[in-house]
Amino acid sequence: MAIETTPGPVVEPIGSGVAGADVRVAPSANASEKTLLVLEAALTHARFMDVVEATGLAKATTHRILSTLVDRRFVAVAADGSYLPGPKILSLAGQALARIDISAIAQPFVDALVEKVHCTVHVGVVNGDEIVYLIRSDSDKPYQMPSRVGHAIPMHSSGIGKVVLSSYTDDGLERFVARAGLPRRTEHTITSIEGLRAEIATVRELGYALDREENVPGVGCVAAPIRDHTGSITYGLSISTLTLEHTVEQIEAMSVLAVETADKISAALGYTPDPTT
């Protein structure tokens, strides 16, 4: 049996040629930390040597931990010898996902954003062909936005709706328009498929969307996508304000904070960006 040697640096990102960035084990890692490292590597790497390389552990140690994880059904072995998530980890993942409450997860991030921008912040979710508000957090301003939790708004005329639509394929966008239409909400609402295509192309390029009084007269917003653990965009976050108080340029300048906060919520939901994209 091979003798375990002292592992490498404390934190060393490596390029193993497989998806995701890996972190080698710290020299001071205890047995529990090593087990968690091997479990994470086995769930993201199919081959034994990839798991070894990802963790920085000795082959004997990696094999011993993997054998325990297989016995306990956290990891499964396919017919070709590759590793797969085991039934135990899948069951636990399903239970954890069923308990996710995005409102509870997002609220602290939303409150922190309100303190920075002194505007109303919404979090919404797609429901059919509409957006439903899950969170509305108001600032210290003497007015409130004409919105409420549970209120449904059209997708084509709202910032959150646009960031969700930006994840649709071109065919999916066409089908959405065929189903929902493009009803006029204000004189600024986009009501043509050509106009919506151009707008969504801009949202994809920028990574955020603007509502220029398209849903409610006198109200503008900037919105950013929130991704779930699969990377799907079914949620969005928006910063809303009166156009009497902020110009479109000033609203757009808040896009950095909107995207930053949405990314934090995405991470809290389990989303990990692909470093290769």
Side-chain angles (χ1 to χ4, degrees), residues 170-188:
D170 291 341
D171 286 344
L173 193 62
E174 297 276 354
R175 290 194 295 272
F176 161 77
V177 173
R179 289 192 310 270
L182 299 173
R184 184 180 298 278
R185 302 276 292 183
T186 75
E187 61 178 322
H188 302 288

Side-chain angles (χ1 to χ4, degrees), residues 154-167:
M155 292 176 69
H156 72 289
S157 58
S158 62
I160 294 177
K162 290 178 189 178
V163 294
V164 171
L165 288 175
S166 72
S167 68

Side-chain angles (χ1 to χ4, degrees), residues 85-100 229:
K88 185 67 173 179
I89 203 75
L90 293 173
S91 174
L92 290 172
Q95 294 176 46
L97 289 172
R99 295 181 59 190
I100 286 178
H229 69 287

